[in-house]
Amino acid sequence: MGVLGSVVQTAALYLARDLAGLHYLAATVLAVEITLAHNFTWHEHWTWKTAATPGWPRRAWRYQLGTGTVALLANLFAMRLLVGGMGLPTLVATPLAIGGSGVINFLIGQFLVFRRNSEPAAPKM
């Protein structure tokens, strides 16, 4: 969800790391998972408007496997590099980490998760 998802992830990271005291990588995993749930819900209702169509559990599973895997790996790698390697503050590194996986995650959503079935629907009798 772009900016809104970035705000959710940054806020969740702040809460998990700075208030709950989690290690920055554990806080990153938690923040990414919260953001994935948030973004999937919005994509279902707004971006691809598939909420009224059957099959949301399958889409959710594909979303977690595709977008979730990319987001988790990219964010963990970027945070380890930016925070652990370069010493940037987590709240500075987070938007950079998010930007690194944004385009590929959109493409996964567009072509793998929320794709429209190209076969015509069978007539209802």
Side-chain angles (χ1 to χ4, degrees):
M1 277 308 302
V3 174
L4 189 54
S6 297
V7 169
V8 168
Q9 184 169 332
T10 303
L13 180 75
Y14 170 76
L15 293 171
R17 182 178 184 279
D18 296 340
L19 297 182
L22 294 179
H23 184 272
Y24 76 94
L25 292 177
T28 297
V29 170
L30 182 61
V32 168
E33 286 299 331
I34 289 168
T35 305
L36 286 168
H38 165 270
N39 288 353
F40 177 77
T41 301
W42 277 99
H43 289 323
E44 279 280 293
H45 292 282
W46 187 69
T47 309
W48 286 282
K49 297 179 183 166
T50 54
T53 63
W56 77 264
R58 184 175 177 186
R59 287 190 301 275
W61 180 243
R62 286 193 314 235
Y63 189 78
Q64 180 62 38
L65 285 177
T67 300
T69 300
V70 169
L72 279 170
L73 293 177
N75 277 272
L76 286 171
F77 174 79
M79 293 298 280
R80 177 67 182 106
L81 177 69
L82 298 170
V83 176
M86 298 173 60
L88 291 177
T90 56
L91 295 180
V92 172
T94 300
L96 299 172
I98 293 168
S101 64
V103 172
I104 193 158
N105 282 337
F106 177 82
L107 294 173
I108 289 169
Q110 178 71 27
F111 295 107
L112 297 177
V113 178
F114 298 100
R115 70 179 184 268
R116 300 279 187 207
N117 190 350
S118 59
E119 297 177 20
K124 293 182 181 180
M125 300 204 160

